[in-house]
Amino acid sequence: MTESLPKVLLVNGVTMLLAYARAIEIEAAERYLELAEQMDVHNSPELANLFRKMAAAEQMHLSKVDNLVGTLKLPEILPWQYKWDTPEALETTAYDAIHYQMTPRCALQLALANEERAVAFFNEVVAQSSDSEARRIASELAAEEYLHVEIVRSWLDRFHESDFKEDLDNPVSQ
Ligand code: ZN
C-alpha cells in the first residue's frame, strides 16, 4: 500500500502542485476529523481535541492554497496519489480496525506516517520541479507539514503503550 512516489515526477508546474496541495489538505482534514471521532469512542478526549485542531490547521492550509488557486483551472489528479496511506507496519494490525478499535498510539502513527508522506511529496516537488514558483510554494507547504510531523511526533512520545507486537517506531520506511 505504501507507494514510493514516482508520480511526483509528474508534478512540475504550479497548477498541478496546487491541485495536489488542495487534495492533500482536504484528505488530511477529513482523516483527522475521523480520527477525532475514534478518539471520542476510545475515551481519549485530549487526543480527540488534538486531532480536531490538526483538522482545523489543515483547513487553514486549504484556504491558503485556495487563495493561490484564484481563478486558475486545476488539472485532474488521481485519488490514490493523495489519499492517506496505511504504513505497511500498521496495515495488518490496524487498517481494518480504523473504524472499530483505533488506539491512540495507532492513530498517531497513522497521522505521523501521512504527515511525513506529505512532507516527502512537497520536498520531491522542490527537488524536481523546473518551475521556480512551484518550488517556492512547495517548499512553504513542506515546511508547514513538517510542523505537523513534529507536533504528532511529540504526542506520540506521550503514548508509550505498546498496541502492537511489532516494533513500530519507524513505520515509514520510504
Ligand atoms: Zn498536515
Side-chain angles (χ1 to χ4, degrees):
M1 223 69 202
T2 305
E3 303 285 338
S4 54
L5 298 165
K7 60 263 186 186
V8 175
L9 289 168
L10 302 171
V11 179
N12 191 45
V14 170
T15 54
M16 183 67 93
L17 170 63
L18 292 177
Y20 275 106
R22 283 195 88 247
I24 286 169
E25 307 293 2
I26 290 169
E27 168 78 357
E30 282 174 2
R31 298 303 297 270
Y32 273 124
L33 289 178
E34 203 176 273
L35 290 180
E37 278 171 29
Q38 284 307 303
M39 293 307 101
D40 288 338
V41 171
H42 209 274
N43 204 13
S44 189
E46 254 193 316
L47 210 46
N49 190 37
L50 170 74
F51 288 145
R52 290 199 169 88
K53 279 188 187 154
M54 297 300 286
E58 305 291 8
Q59 272 153 1
M60 269 174 55
H61 284 175
L62 177 62
S63 24
K64 226 177 108 176
V65 170
D66 277 339
N67 284 338
L68 293 172
V69 171
T71 56
L72 292 174
K73 190 165 161 35
L74 300 186
E76 297 259 337
I77 53 173
L78 298 169
W80 62 267
Q81 295 181 319
Y82 60 83
K83 289 289 183 190
W84 271 26
D85 232 2
T86 303
E88 272 165 42
L90 287 179
E91 221 163 80
T92 47
T93 33
Y95 192 66
D96 294 333
I98 282 179
H99 298 284
Y100 303 103
Q101 48 189 8
M102 178 74 82
T103 64
R105 190 169 164 81
C106 180
L108 284 163
Q109 283 171 324
L110 181 68
L112 178 62
N114 285 284
E115 294 287 6
E116 285 175 338
R117 190 166 168 250
V119 172
F121 178 88
F122 292 126
N123 278 338
E124 279 296 302
V125 178
V126 174
Q128 296 186 22
S129 174
S130 61
D131 182 316
S132 63
E133 181 66 356
R135 289 198 304 271
R136 189 187 64 76
I137 295 169
S139 87
E140 258 180 46
L141 291 168
E144 283 170 354
E145 294 305 333
Y146 189 70
L147 291 178
H148 294 176
V149 167
E150 290 188 317
I151 292 169
V152 175
R153 252 188 214 147
S154 73
W155 276 76
L156 200 46
D157 287 342
R158 301 193 203 175
F159 287 84
H160 292 298
E161 90 273 9
S162 55
D163 294 328
F164 309 112
K165 291 172 189 85
E166 300 162 47
D167 179 12
L168 296 176
D169 282 338
N170 188 17
V172 177
S173 51
Q174 290 175 10

PDB file of all heavy atoms in Angstrom, residues 63-97:
ATOM      1  N   SER A  63      -7.471  26.925   2.783  1.00  0.00           N
ATOM      2  CA  SER A  63      -7.908  28.251   2.310  1.00  0.00           C
ATOM      3  C   SER A  63      -6.735  29.051   1.762  1.00  0.00           C
ATOM      4  O   SER A  63      -6.892  29.833   0.836  1.00  0.00           O
ATOM      5  CB  SER A  63      -8.678  29.039   3.385  1.00  0.00           C
ATOM      6  OG  SER A  63      -8.361  28.641   4.659  1.00  0.00           O
ATOM      7  N   LYS A  64      -5.560  28.827   2.338  1.00  0.00           N
ATOM      8  CA  LYS A  64      -4.370  29.475   1.802  1.00  0.00           C
ATOM      9  C   LYS A  64      -4.093  29.018   0.367  1.00  0.00           C
ATOM     10  O   LYS A  64      -3.822  29.824  -0.520  1.00  0.00           O
ATOM     11  CB  LYS A  64      -3.165  29.113   2.685  1.00  0.00           C
ATOM     12  CG  LYS A  64      -2.286  30.285   3.038  1.00  0.00           C
ATOM     13  CD  LYS A  64      -1.176  29.855   3.974  1.00  0.00           C
ATOM     14  CE  LYS A  64       0.153  29.836   3.268  1.00  0.00           C
ATOM     15  NZ  LYS A  64       1.272  29.508   4.174  1.00  0.00           N
ATOM     16  N   VAL A  65      -4.186  27.720   0.183  1.00  0.00           N
ATOM     17  CA  VAL A  65      -3.976  27.165  -1.158  1.00  0.00           C
ATOM     18  C   VAL A  65      -5.047  27.695  -2.112  1.00  0.00           C
ATOM     19  O   VAL A  65      -4.752  28.076  -3.248  1.00  0.00           O
ATOM     20  CB  VAL A  65      -3.984  25.616  -1.124  1.00  0.00           C
ATOM     21  CG1 VAL A  65      -4.009  25.036  -2.537  1.00  0.00           C
ATOM     22  CG2 VAL A  65      -2.757  25.102  -0.374  1.00  0.00           C
ATOM     23  N   ASP A  66      -6.292  27.757  -1.624  1.00  0.00           N
ATOM     24  CA  ASP A  66      -7.380  28.261  -2.473  1.00  0.00           C
ATOM     25  C   ASP A  66      -7.123  29.705  -2.907  1.00  0.00           C
ATOM     26  O   ASP A  66      -7.454  30.087  -4.026  1.00  0.00           O
ATOM     27  CB  ASP A  66      -8.721  28.146  -1.746  1.00  0.00           C
ATOM     28  CG  ASP A  66      -9.310  26.747  -1.878  1.00  0.00           C
ATOM     29  OD1 ASP A  66      -8.917  26.022  -2.822  1.00  0.00           O
ATOM     30  OD2 ASP A  66     -10.156  26.372  -1.049  1.00  0.00           O
ATOM     31  N   ASN A  67      -6.535  30.497  -2.023  1.00  0.00           N
ATOM     32  CA  ASN A  67      -6.167  31.867  -2.411  1.00  0.00           C
ATOM     33  C   ASN A  67      -5.163  31.872  -3.546  1.00  0.00           C
ATOM     34  O   ASN A  67      -5.232  32.710  -4.439  1.00  0.00           O
ATOM     35  CB  ASN A  67      -5.571  32.627  -1.224  1.00  0.00           C
ATOM     36  CG  ASN A  67      -6.645  33.058  -0.243  1.00  0.00           C
ATOM     37  OD1 ASN A  67      -7.821  33.171  -0.599  1.00  0.00           O
ATOM     38  ND2 ASN A  67      -6.246  33.304   0.994  1.00  0.00           N
ATOM     39  N   LEU A  68      -4.209  30.940  -3.479  1.00  0.00           N
ATOM     40  CA  LEU A  68      -3.219  30.837  -4.544  1.00  0.00           C
ATOM     41  C   LEU A  68      -3.862  30.369  -5.845  1.00  0.00           C
ATOM     42  O   LEU A  68      -3.471  30.772  -6.932  1.00  0.00           O
ATOM     43  CB  LEU A  68      -2.097  29.870  -4.150  1.00  0.00           C
ATOM     44  CG  LEU A  68      -1.186  30.299  -2.991  1.00  0.00           C
ATOM     45  CD1 LEU A  68      -0.262  29.153  -2.594  1.00  0.00           C
ATOM     46  CD2 LEU A  68      -0.360  31.521  -3.380  1.00  0.00           C
ATOM     47  N   VAL A  69      -4.859  29.504  -5.706  1.00  0.00           N
ATOM     48  CA  VAL A  69      -5.523  28.968  -6.898  1.00  0.00           C
ATOM     49  C   VAL A  69      -6.261  30.086  -7.635  1.00  0.00           C
ATOM     50  O   VAL A  69      -6.153  30.209  -8.854  1.00  0.00           O
ATOM     51  CB  VAL A  69      -6.511  27.833  -6.525  1.00  0.00           C
ATOM     52  CG1 VAL A  69      -7.340  27.441  -7.749  1.00  0.00           C
ATOM     53  CG2 VAL A  69      -5.770  26.623  -5.974  1.00  0.00           C
ATOM     54  N   GLY A  70      -6.951  30.924  -6.874  1.00  0.00           N
ATOM     55  CA  GLY A  70      -7.674  32.028  -7.508  1.00  0.00           C
ATOM     56  C   GLY A  70      -8.527  31.534  -8.657  1.00  0.00           C
ATOM     57  O   GLY A  70      -9.391  30.682  -8.459  1.00  0.00           O
ATOM     58  N   THR A  71      -8.254  32.034  -9.838  1.00  0.00           N
ATOM     59  CA  THR A  71      -9.063  31.645 -10.993  1.00  0.00           C
ATOM     60  C   THR A  71      -8.364  30.599 -11.865  1.00  0.00           C
ATOM     61  O   THR A  71      -8.844  30.261 -12.938  1.00  0.00           O
ATOM     62  CB  THR A  71      -9.368  32.876 -11.885  1.00  0.00           C
ATOM     63  OG1 THR A  71      -8.116  33.465 -12.257  1.00  0.00           O
ATOM     64  CG2 THR A  71     -10.214  33.888 -11.136  1.00  0.00           C
ATOM     65  N   LEU A  72      -7.218  30.093 -11.387  1.00  0.00           N
ATOM     66  CA  LEU A  72      -6.522  29.054 -12.161  1.00  0.00           C
ATOM     67  C   LEU A  72      -7.405  27.831 -12.306  1.00  0.00           C
ATOM     68  O   LEU A  72      -8.126  27.467 -11.373  1.00  0.00           O
ATOM     69  CB  LEU A  72      -5.227  28.639 -11.451  1.00  0.00           C
ATOM     70  CG  LEU A  72      -4.093  29.650 -11.360  1.00  0.00           C
ATOM     71  CD1 LEU A  72      -2.971  29.079 -10.491  1.00  0.00           C
ATOM     72  CD2 LEU A  72      -3.573  30.000 -12.747  1.00  0.00           C
ATOM     73  N   LYS A  73      -7.340  27.216 -13.453  1.00  0.00           N
ATOM     74  CA  LYS A  73      -8.064  25.963 -13.637  1.00  0.00           C
ATOM     75  C   LYS A  73      -7.116  24.810 -13.318  1.00  0.00           C
ATOM     76  O   LYS A  73      -6.057  24.692 -13.909  1.00  0.00           O
ATOM     77  CB  LYS A  73      -8.562  25.867 -15.084  1.00  0.00           C
ATOM     78  CG  LYS A  73      -9.516  24.719 -15.287  1.00  0.00           C
ATOM     79  CD  LYS A  73     -10.265  24.864 -16.616  1.00  0.00           C
ATOM     80  CE  LYS A  73     -10.877  23.539 -17.086  1.00  0.00           C
ATOM     81  NZ  LYS A  73     -11.388  22.646 -16.042  1.00  0.00           N
ATOM     82  N   LEU A  74      -7.522  23.997 -12.364  1.00  0.00           N
ATOM     83  CA  LEU A  74      -6.623  22.934 -11.910  1.00  0.00           C
ATOM     84  C   LEU A  74      -6.817  21.660 -12.718  1.00  0.00           C
ATOM     85  O   LEU A  74      -7.929  21.317 -13.094  1.00  0.00           O
ATOM     86  CB  LEU A  74      -6.861  22.635 -10.429  1.00  0.00           C
ATOM     87  CG  LEU A  74      -6.640  23.804  -9.465  1.00  0.00           C
ATOM     88  CD1 LEU A  74      -6.776  23.329  -8.035  1.00  0.00           C
ATOM     89  CD2 LEU A  74      -5.288  24.462  -9.678  1.00  0.00           C
ATOM     90  N   PRO A  75      -5.717  20.951 -12.956  1.00  0.00           N
ATOM     91  CA  PRO A  75      -5.824  19.681 -13.693  1.00  0.00           C
ATOM     92  C   PRO A  75      -6.421  18.584 -12.821  1.00  0.00           C
ATOM     93  O   PRO A  75      -6.448  18.688 -11.600  1.00  0.00           O
ATOM     94  CB  PRO A  75      -4.364  19.361 -14.023  1.00  0.00           C
ATOM     95  CG  PRO A  75      -3.570  20.058 -12.974  1.00  0.00           C
ATOM     96  CD  PRO A  75      -4.342  21.284 -12.595  1.00  0.00           C
ATOM     97  N   GLU A  76      -6.897  17.547 -13.474  1.00  0.00           N
ATOM     98  CA  GLU A  76      -7.405  16.366 -12.770  1.00  0.00           C
ATOM     99  C   GLU A  76      -6.240  15.614 -12.138  1.00  0.00           C
ATOM    100  O   GLU A  76      -5.159  15.525 -12.717  1.00  0.00           O
ATOM    101  CB  GLU A  76      -8.067  15.411 -13.772  1.00  0.00           C
ATOM    102  CG  GLU A  76      -9.268  15.974 -14.469  1.00  0.00           C
ATOM    103  CD  GLU A  76     -10.554  15.451 -13.841  1.00  0.00           C
ATOM    104  OE1 GLU A  76     -10.508  14.370 -13.213  1.00  0.00           O
ATOM    105  OE2 GLU A  76     -11.585  16.138 -13.964  1.00  0.00           O
ATOM    106  N   ILE A  77      -6.489  15.068 -10.958  1.00  0.00           N
ATOM    107  CA  ILE A  77      -5.471  14.227 -10.342  1.00  0.00           C
ATOM    108  C   ILE A  77      -6.116  12.930  -9.876  1.00  0.00           C
ATOM    109  O   ILE A  77      -7.340  12.826  -9.836  1.00  0.00           O
ATOM    110  CB  ILE A  77      -4.781  14.923  -9.152  1.00  0.00           C
ATOM    111  CG1 ILE A  77      -5.834  15.429  -8.168  1.00  0.00           C
ATOM    112  CG2 ILE A  77      -3.907  16.068  -9.637  1.00  0.00           C
ATOM    113  CD1 ILE A  77      -5.231  15.965  -6.892  1.00  0.00           C
ATOM    114  N   LEU A  78      -5.280  11.966  -9.527  1.00  0.00           N
ATOM    115  CA  LEU A  78      -5.814  10.655  -9.173  1.00  0.00           C
ATOM    116  C   LEU A  78      -5.828  10.457  -7.661  1.00  0.00           C
ATOM    117  O   LEU A  78      -4.856  10.764  -6.983  1.00  0.00           O
ATOM    118  CB  LEU A  78      -4.950   9.561  -9.809  1.00  0.00           C
ATOM    119  CG  LEU A  78      -4.912   9.595 -11.338  1.00  0.00           C
ATOM    120  CD1 LEU A  78      -3.831   8.657 -11.856  1.00  0.00           C
ATOM    121  CD2 LEU A  78      -6.276   9.227 -11.904  1.00  0.00           C
ATOM    122  N   PRO A  79      -6.938   9.930  -7.151  1.00  0.00           N
ATOM    123  CA  PRO A  79      -7.094   9.792  -5.697  1.00  0.00           C
ATOM    124  C   PRO A  79      -5.982   8.999  -5.029  1.00  0.00           C
ATOM    125  O   PRO A  79      -5.531   9.359  -3.951  1.00  0.00           O
ATOM    126  CB  PRO A  79      -8.415   9.041  -5.533  1.00  0.00           C
ATOM    127  CG  PRO A  79      -9.125   9.199  -6.817  1.00  0.00           C
ATOM    128  CD  PRO A  79      -8.100   9.456  -7.877  1.00  0.00           C
ATOM    129  N   TRP A  80      -5.534   7.925  -5.659  1.00  0.00           N
ATOM    130  CA  TRP A  80      -4.534   7.083  -4.973  1.00  0.00           C
ATOM    131  C   TRP A  80      -3.237   7.833  -4.781  1.00  0.00           C
ATOM    132  O   TRP A  80      -2.363   7.423  -4.047  1.00  0.00           O
ATOM    133  CB  TRP A  80      -4.318   5.763  -5.690  1.00  0.00           C
ATOM    134  CG  TRP A  80      -3.785   5.884  -7.092  1.00  0.00           C
ATOM    135  CD1 TRP A  80      -4.515   5.927  -8.231  1.00  0.00           C
ATOM    136  CD2 TRP A  80      -2.414   5.972  -7.497  1.00  0.00           C
ATOM    137  NE1 TRP A  80      -3.689   6.053  -9.317  1.00  0.00           N
ATOM    138  CE2 TRP A  80      -2.394   6.080  -8.902  1.00  0.00           C
ATOM    139  CE3 TRP A  80      -1.197   5.961  -6.807  1.00  0.00           C
ATOM    140  CZ2 TRP A  80      -1.208   6.184  -9.626  1.00  0.00           C
ATOM    141  CZ3 TRP A  80      -0.018   6.073  -7.549  1.00  0.00           C
ATOM    142  CH2 TRP A  80      -0.024   6.179  -8.928  1.00  0.00           C
ATOM    143  N   GLN A  81      -3.105   8.961  -5.455  1.00  0.00           N
ATOM    144  CA  GLN A  81      -1.875   9.720  -5.317  1.00  0.00           C
ATOM    145  C   GLN A  81      -1.894  10.675  -4.127  1.00  0.00           C
ATOM    146  O   GLN A  81      -0.882  11.269  -3.809  1.00  0.00           O
ATOM    147  CB  GLN A  81      -1.586  10.492  -6.611  1.00  0.00           C
ATOM    148  CG  GLN A  81      -1.322   9.533  -7.764  1.00  0.00           C
ATOM    149  CD  GLN A  81      -1.007  10.249  -9.053  1.00  0.00           C
ATOM    150  OE1 GLN A  81      -1.628  11.241  -9.367  1.00  0.00           O
ATOM    151  NE2 GLN A  81      -0.052   9.740  -9.793  1.00  0.00           N
ATOM    152  N   TYR A  82      -3.033  10.844  -3.498  1.00  0.00           N
ATOM    153  CA  TYR A  82      -3.035  11.722  -2.335  1.00  0.00           C
ATOM    154  C   TYR A  82      -3.788  11.164  -1.130  1.00  0.00           C
ATOM    155  O   TYR A  82      -3.691  11.693  -0.036  1.00  0.00           O
ATOM    156  CB  TYR A  82      -3.596  13.110  -2.695  1.00  0.00           C
ATOM    157  CG  TYR A  82      -5.019  13.085  -3.199  1.00  0.00           C
ATOM    158  CD1 TYR A  82      -6.079  13.059  -2.298  1.00  0.00           C
ATOM    159  CD2 TYR A  82      -5.300  13.088  -4.561  1.00  0.00           C
ATOM    160  CE1 TYR A  82      -7.380  13.017  -2.758  1.00  0.00           C
ATOM    161  CE2 TYR A  82      -6.595  13.057  -5.024  1.00  0.00           C
ATOM    162  CZ  TYR A  82      -7.637  13.023  -4.119  1.00  0.00           C
ATOM    163  OH  TYR A  82      -8.908  12.974  -4.575  1.00  0.00           O
ATOM    164  N   LYS A  83      -4.569  10.105  -1.337  1.00  0.00           N
ATOM    165  CA  LYS A  83      -5.300   9.519  -0.212  1.00  0.00           C
ATOM    166  C   LYS A  83      -4.330   9.018   0.852  1.00  0.00           C
ATOM    167  O   LYS A  83      -3.251   8.536   0.529  1.00  0.00           O
ATOM    168  CB  LYS A  83      -6.178   8.346  -0.696  1.00  0.00           C
ATOM    169  CG  LYS A  83      -7.363   8.793  -1.524  1.00  0.00           C
ATOM    170  CD  LYS A  83      -8.402   9.477  -0.663  1.00  0.00           C
ATOM    171  CE  LYS A  83      -9.629   9.869  -1.488  1.00  0.00           C
ATOM    172  NZ  LYS A  83     -10.541  10.744  -0.745  1.00  0.00           N
ATOM    173  N   TRP A  84      -4.736   9.108   2.090  1.00  0.00           N
ATOM    174  CA  TRP A  84      -3.878   8.632   3.171  1.00  0.00           C
ATOM    175  C   TRP A  84      -3.573   7.160   3.002  1.00  0.00           C
ATOM    176  O   TRP A  84      -4.434   6.371   2.667  1.00  0.00           O
ATOM    177  CB  TRP A  84      -4.530   8.874   4.541  1.00  0.00           C
ATOM    178  CG  TRP A  84      -4.187  10.205   5.118  1.00  0.00           C
ATOM    179  CD1 TRP A  84      -3.830  11.317   4.420  1.00  0.00           C
ATOM    180  CD2 TRP A  84      -4.166  10.567   6.502  1.00  0.00           C
ATOM    181  NE1 TRP A  84      -3.602  12.357   5.300  1.00  0.00           N
ATOM    182  CE2 TRP A  84      -3.789  11.930   6.562  1.00  0.00           C
ATOM    183  CE3 TRP A  84      -4.427   9.872   7.685  1.00  0.00           C
ATOM    184  CZ2 TRP A  84      -3.684  12.608   7.780  1.00  0.00           C
ATOM    185  CZ3 TRP A  84      -4.320  10.548   8.886  1.00  0.00           C
ATOM    186  CH2 TRP A  84      -3.943  11.901   8.932  1.00  0.00           C
ATOM    187  N   ASP A  85      -2.335   6.862   3.278  1.00  0.00           N
ATOM    188  CA  ASP A  85      -1.809   5.523   3.163  1.00  0.00           C
ATOM    189  C   ASP A  85      -1.707   4.918   4.550  1.00  0.00           C
ATOM    190  O   ASP A  85      -1.487   5.629   5.508  1.00  0.00           O
ATOM    191  CB  ASP A  85      -0.381   5.659   2.632  1.00  0.00           C
ATOM    192  CG  ASP A  85      -0.169   4.787   1.434  1.00  0.00           C
ATOM    193  OD1 ASP A  85      -1.121   4.123   1.011  1.00  0.00           O
ATOM    194  OD2 ASP A  85       0.958   4.783   0.936  1.00  0.00           O
ATOM    195  N   THR A  86      -1.860   3.614   4.605  1.00  0.00           N
ATOM    196  CA  THR A  86      -1.566   2.953   5.864  1.00  0.00           C
ATOM    197  C   THR A  86      -0.184   2.347   5.748  1.00  0.00           C
ATOM    198  O   THR A  86       0.060   1.542   4.862  1.00  0.00           O
ATOM    199  CB  THR A  86      -2.583   1.839   6.151  1.00  0.00           C
ATOM    200  OG1 THR A  86      -3.880   2.428   6.141  1.00  0.00           O
ATOM    201  CG2 THR A  86      -2.324   1.208   7.503  1.00  0.00           C
ATOM    202  N   PRO A  87       0.731   2.770   6.621  1.00  0.00           N
ATOM    203  CA  PRO A  87       2.085   2.210   6.525  1.00  0.00           C
ATOM    204  C   PRO A  87       2.047   0.698   6.645  1.00  0.00           C
ATOM    205  O   PRO A  87       1.220   0.161   7.381  1.00  0.00           O
ATOM    206  CB  PRO A  87       2.820   2.827   7.708  1.00  0.00           C
ATOM    207  CG  PRO A  87       1.891   3.752   8.378  1.00  0.00           C
ATOM    208  CD  PRO A  87       0.550   3.684   7.725  1.00  0.00           C
ATOM    209  N   GLU A  88       2.930   0.036   5.944  1.00  0.00           N
ATOM    210  CA  GLU A  88       2.923  -1.423   5.949  1.00  0.00           C
ATOM    211  C   GLU A  88       2.952  -1.999   7.355  1.00  0.00           C
ATOM    212  O   GLU A  88       2.283  -2.969   7.652  1.00  0.00           O
ATOM    213  CB  GLU A  88       4.120  -1.960   5.159  1.00  0.00           C
ATOM    214  CG  GLU A  88       3.794  -2.120   3.682  1.00  0.00           C
ATOM    215  CD  GLU A  88       5.050  -2.301   2.858  1.00  0.00           C
ATOM    216  OE1 GLU A  88       5.938  -3.041   3.316  1.00  0.00           O
ATOM    217  OE2 GLU A  88       5.124  -1.695   1.766  1.00  0.00           O
ATOM    218  N   ALA A  89       3.718  -1.351   8.216  1.00  0.00           N
ATOM    219  CA  ALA A  89       3.846  -1.848   9.581  1.00  0.00           C
ATOM    220  C   ALA A  89       2.508  -1.820  10.308  1.00  0.00           C
ATOM    221  O   ALA A  89       2.253  -2.613  11.198  1.00  0.00           O
ATOM    222  CB  ALA A  89       4.880  -1.028  10.345  1.00  0.00           C
ATOM    223  N   LEU A  90       1.641  -0.864   9.923  1.00  0.00           N
ATOM    224  CA  LEU A  90       0.346  -0.761  10.591  1.00  0.00           C
ATOM    225  C   LEU A  90      -0.734  -1.564   9.880  1.00  0.00           C
ATOM    226  O   LEU A  90      -1.779  -1.854  10.448  1.00  0.00           O
ATOM    227  CB  LEU A  90      -0.115   0.700  10.609  1.00  0.00           C
ATOM    228  CG  LEU A  90       0.588   1.673  11.550  1.00  0.00           C
ATOM    229  CD1 LEU A  90      -0.001   3.061  11.380  1.00  0.00           C
ATOM    230  CD2 LEU A  90       0.450   1.217  12.997  1.00  0.00           C
ATOM    231  N   GLU A  91      -0.483  -1.879   8.641  1.00  0.00           N
ATOM    232  CA  GLU A  91      -1.526  -2.418   7.793  1.00  0.00           C
ATOM    233  C   GLU A  91      -2.254  -3.621   8.386  1.00  0.00           C
ATOM    234  O   GLU A  91      -3.459  -3.612   8.533  1.00  0.00           O
ATOM    235  CB  GLU A  91      -0.938  -2.813   6.450  1.00  0.00           C
ATOM    236  CG  GLU A  91      -1.841  -2.428   5.302  1.00  0.00           C
ATOM    237  CD  GLU A  91      -1.077  -2.442   4.002  1.00  0.00           C
ATOM    238  OE1 GLU A  91      -0.892  -3.550   3.472  1.00  0.00           O
ATOM    239  OE2 GLU A  91      -0.658  -1.370   3.555  1.00  0.00           O
ATOM    240  N   THR A  92      -1.492  -4.636   8.741  1.00  0.00           N
ATOM    241  CA  THR A  92      -2.137  -5.866   9.190  1.00  0.00           C
ATOM    242  C   THR A  92      -2.879  -5.675  10.505  1.00  0.00           C
ATOM    243  O   THR A  92      -3.991  -6.139  10.669  1.00  0.00           O
ATOM    244  CB  THR A  92      -1.093  -6.986   9.385  1.00  0.00           C
ATOM    245  OG1 THR A  92      -0.003  -6.437  10.117  1.00  0.00           O
ATOM    246  CG2 THR A  92      -0.638  -7.522   8.058  1.00  0.00           C
ATOM    247  N   THR A  93      -2.260  -4.946  11.407  1.00  0.00           N
ATOM    248  CA  THR A  93      -2.881  -4.777  12.715  1.00  0.00           C
ATOM    249  C   THR A  93      -3.979  -3.739  12.709  1.00  0.00           C
ATOM    250  O   THR A  93      -4.955  -3.863  13.442  1.00  0.00           O
ATOM    251  CB  THR A  93      -1.833  -4.316  13.746  1.00  0.00           C
ATOM    252  OG1 THR A  93      -0.887  -3.504  13.091  1.00  0.00           O
ATOM    253  CG2 THR A  93      -1.197  -5.489  14.431  1.00  0.00           C
ATOM    254  N   ALA A  94      -3.823  -2.708  11.920  1.00  0.00           N
ATOM    255  CA  ALA A  94      -4.656  -1.540  12.160  1.00  0.00           C
ATOM    256  C   ALA A  94      -5.629  -1.173  11.049  1.00  0.00           C
ATOM    257  O   ALA A  94      -6.652  -0.576  11.309  1.00  0.00           O
ATOM    258  CB  ALA A  94      -3.762  -0.342  12.436  1.00  0.00           C
ATOM    259  N   TYR A  95      -5.296  -1.519   9.841  1.00  0.00           N
ATOM    260  CA  TYR A  95      -6.062  -0.924   8.759  1.00  0.00           C
ATOM    261  C   TYR A  95      -7.546  -1.246   8.855  1.00  0.00           C
ATOM    262  O   TYR A  95      -8.387  -0.378   8.759  1.00  0.00           O
ATOM    263  CB  TYR A  95      -5.508  -1.362   7.405  1.00  0.00           C
ATOM    264  CG  TYR A  95      -6.079  -0.538   6.281  1.00  0.00           C
ATOM    265  CD1 TYR A  95      -5.782   0.823   6.196  1.00  0.00           C
ATOM    266  CD2 TYR A  95      -6.918  -1.094   5.328  1.00  0.00           C
ATOM    267  CE1 TYR A  95      -6.309   1.607   5.191  1.00  0.00           C
ATOM    268  CE2 TYR A  95      -7.443  -0.317   4.309  1.00  0.00           C
ATOM    269  CZ  TYR A  95      -7.134   1.021   4.244  1.00  0.00           C
ATOM    270  OH  TYR A  95      -7.665   1.780   3.242  1.00  0.00           O
ATOM    271  N   ASP A  96      -7.849  -2.505   9.089  1.00  0.00           N
ATOM    272  CA  ASP A  96      -9.256  -2.892   9.194  1.00  0.00           C
ATOM    273  C   ASP A  96      -9.883  -2.389  10.480  1.00  0.00           C
ATOM    274  O   ASP A  96     -11.087  -2.417  10.646  1.00  0.00           O
ATOM    275  CB  ASP A  96      -9.393  -4.416   9.141  1.00  0.00           C
ATOM    276  CG  ASP A  96      -8.974  -4.940   7.765  1.00  0.00           C
ATOM    277  OD1 ASP A  96      -9.104  -4.173   6.800  1.00  0.00           O
ATOM    278  OD2 ASP A  96      -8.521  -6.091   7.695  1.00  0.00           O
ATOM    279  N   ALA A  97      -9.032  -1.976  11.377  1.00  0.00           N
ATOM    280  CA  ALA A  97      -9.524  -1.580  12.688  1.00  0.00           C
ATOM    281  C   ALA A  97      -9.830  -0.093  12.758  1.00  0.00           C
ATOM    282  O   ALA A  97     -10.308   0.390  13.763  1.00  0.00           O
ATOM    283  CB  ALA A  97      -8.499  -1.947  13.753  1.00  0.00           C
TER     284      ALA A  97
END
